Amino acid sequence: MPDIQLSYLESHPNAEGYFGRFGGNHYPPELRPALEELASCYKELRQTPDFQNTLNKARIGLQGRPTPIHHLENISREVGGAQIFIKREDLNHTGAHKINHCVGFALLAKKMGKTKLIAETGAGQHGVALATAAAYFGLECEVHMGDVDIAKQSSNVGRMQLLGARVVPATTGQSTLKDASDSAFNAYVEQHAHALYAIGSAIGPHPFPMIVRDFQSVVGREAREQFMSITEGSLPEHVVACVAGGSNAMGMYSGFIDDSEVVLHAVEPLGISDDLGQHAATLSYGRPGTLHGARSVVLQKDDDTPASVSSIASGLAYPGVGPEVAMLHETGRLSIAAISNEEAIEAFFRVSRLEGIIPALESAHALAFAIRLASQRPSSERILVNLSGRGDKDVDYVLENYGTGF
């Protein structure tokens, strides 16, 4: 990894866990010792040969890394503009980038003497990945999931249970990702003596956003090396990722964040409309606030409580973003865009039919924007998209609600 990359990763966050004015630790005081223990153990263990060797063994043998970069030649030809490339995180075992940090958390828990992993999940990809990692390392697993998402993602619920995880329904609020996060946080408060919270994205109090980003940075490291190999030493002009909490985005951005000539694009879910409660486009319409133990940007009602959100993609239906994503947006390093449900569905069918790849609905948001961007840019430019997950989990829902498409 180039020194400039190491410099950014080592200097963010600061010692108090802040990315600029975002981040920190706004968790209940009784959990401070557990979080301080986690930060200390992570700092001590992450660079040791034993930890790295065990992690790399799991990356290769369990996950199937490295994942390739693939040129979407058919779509690029049809669009007639910039060339679109994808980082195939959908080819990870369990079907998404989530297993990158789940394996890391499971190994960390094992080294810390914990016996259980607790987490939330929206689309179920994080839950399946965590259940897989828990089984691999011989740990108990408890996954909290909103009732709405349990019904929508029944196949992933079954996979978690087959892998030995206990799936806990979250029945408050909208019964979606934010409520599952609330439920998982509460469970961690009660069980932190013997359990580790393996948070599902780059959110929450310090050190969670840092740890998730670091474990996900394998995506950016690989993508940078692979792309430069393909193009004989040049970088993409644009790097695109869908954004909610930010795990897949920060993983991809980490490889290019110090390259000022590379534009980083954050693609949010516009849902049904831009009315509050009908989307989850936090960077576009949110304001600073505190959510799940960290200061960030949050979609809020007039009384400063989190707003309801909506997205066809369960993994994007979250009223906040990770604090590092919030900082990068505030400093102007991120260009943001919002994609509606209909645009995401169109991209879902288009990529399936023209490229033989069924993308997750979350990833379809990033692909929809990349297709739009490609049509506006010259053919000499290259767009690299993080295809964060495959769409097996979404097929039944899409067929039921949209048929077989065009």
Side-chain angles (χ1 to χ4, degrees):
M1 187 191 304
D3 289 343
I4 193 167
Q5 234 175 300
L6 280 171
S7 175
Y8 175 85
L9 295 180
E10 289 180 346
S11 61
H12 294 81
N14 66 16
E16 288 74 42
Y18 279 91
F19 301 90
R21 63 174 174 149
F22 301 110
N25 185 344
H26 298 264
Y27 232 27
E30 61 267 27
L31 274 178
R32 295 290 173 86
L35 294 176
E36 289 169 0
E37 177 198 17
L38 174 60
S40 176
C41 288
Y42 173 68
K43 183 177 180 180
E44 178 183 341
L45 289 168
R46 63 177 176 172
Q47 298 300 335
T48 63
D50 178 60
F51 189 90
Q52 285 298 318
N53 290 340
T54 306
L55 181 60
N56 289 336
K57 179 183 176 183
R59 290 263 192 260
I60 296 167
L62 179 67
Q63 291 185 232
R65 300 207 71 91
T67 60
I69 282 180
H70 176 63
H71 184 193
L72 296 184
E73 295 185 59
N74 296 332
I75 285 180
S76 297
R77 187 182 307 114
E78 183 181 80
V79 172
Q83 299 299 298
I84 303 173
F85 295 79
I86 55 174
K87 176 63 169 165
R88 296 293 306 274
E89 288 301 288
D90 60 312
L91 295 181
N92 271 299
H93 178 48
T94 73
H97 72 289
K98 295 291 188 181
I99 199 167
N100 293 326
H101 66 258
C102 288
V103 164
F105 270 120
L107 178 57
L108 192 56
K110 194 82 171 179
K111 296 293 185 181
M112 292 175 66
K114 306 294 185 182
T115 60
K116 185 176 185 178
L117 294 170
I118 296 173
E120 81 295 337
T121 194
Q125 292 297 91
H126 177 245
V128 171
L130 192 68
T132 299
Y136 182 82
F137 285 104
L139 300 166
E140 294 180 65
C141 185
E142 178 178 307
V143 179
H144 295 247
M145 191 173 188
D147 257 354
V148 169
D149 293 330
I150 286 175
K152 186 177 177 181
Q153 305 289 351
S154 59
S155 63
N156 272 344
V157 174
R159 292 168 74 192
M160 285 182 262
Q161 292 170 334
L162 281 171
L163 290 161
R166 175 177 173 241
V167 180
V168 180
T171 57
T172 59
Q174 287 186 280
S175 298
T176 53
L177 182 55
K178 187 263 180 187
D179 311 294
S181 297
D182 291 340
S183 180
F185 272 120
N186 291 336
Y188 179 51
V189 171
E190 296 174 1
Q191 302 178 57
H192 65 271
H194 67 278
L196 179 61
Y197 186 22
I199 201 164
S201 196
I203 59 173
H206 179 67
F208 289 120
M210 175 184 69
I211 293 175
V212 171
R213 178 205 64 193
D214 287 356
F215 284 141
Q216 287 292 342
S217 68
V218 65
V219 180
R221 288 198 304 273
E222 285 181 5
R224 184 188 181 89
E225 294 170 4
Q226 291 167 330
F227 196 89
M228 293 182 74
S229 176
I230 291 169
T231 60
E232 299 181 347
S234 62
L235 295 171
E237 283 75 20
H238 306 271
V239 169
V240 178
C242 62
V243 169
S247 57
N248 96 89
M250 287 313 309
M252 179 61 102
Y253 297 157
S254 66
F256 305 91
I257 203 163
D258 281 308
D259 300 299
S260 58
E261 69 272 28
V262 178
V263 182
L264 304 180
H265 298 271
V267 184
E268 300 193 292
L270 188 57
I272 301 168
S273 75
D274 59 6
D275 293 334
L276 191 65
Q278 300 300 307
H279 63 81
T282 303
L283 294 174
S284 301
Y285 300 102
R287 63 180 189 270
T290 301
L291 181 64
H292 292 138
R295 186 77 176 165
S296 189
V297 175
V298 183
L299 286 169
Q300 301 172 68
K301 296 182 286 190
D302 291 340
D303 62 0
D304 297 332
T305 59
S308 297
V309 291
S310 177
S311 173
I312 196 171
S314 297
L316 300 182
Y318 184 69
V321 294
E324 190 166 13
V325 172
M327 178 202 73
L328 292 174
H329 172 243
E330 185 170 74
T331 59
R333 187 63 185 94
L334 285 186
S335 174
I336 62 170
I339 292 292
S340 70
N341 286 349
E342 294 302 319
E343 290 173 300
I345 282 291
E346 182 181 351
F348 178 92
F349 284 121
R350 195 172 187 179
V351 175
S352 298
R353 294 288 175 83
L354 295 180
E355 297 290 350
I357 298 170
I358 302 175
L361 287 173
E362 292 77 13
S363 306
H365 285 73
L367 289 164
F369 172 74
I371 291 168
R372 179 202 297 173
L373 180 64
S375 71
Q376 301 167 351
R377 307 304 302 175
S379 60
S380 59
E381 292 189 0
R382 286 75 49 91
I383 301 168
L384 178 58
V385 183
N386 192 8
L387 182 57
S388 55
R390 65 176 179 242
D392 302 31
K393 66 183 179 59
D394 298 312
V395 168
D396 289 345
Y397 173 82
V398 171
L399 290 176
E400 182 180 341
N401 290 275
Y402 296 91
T404 56
F406 59 89

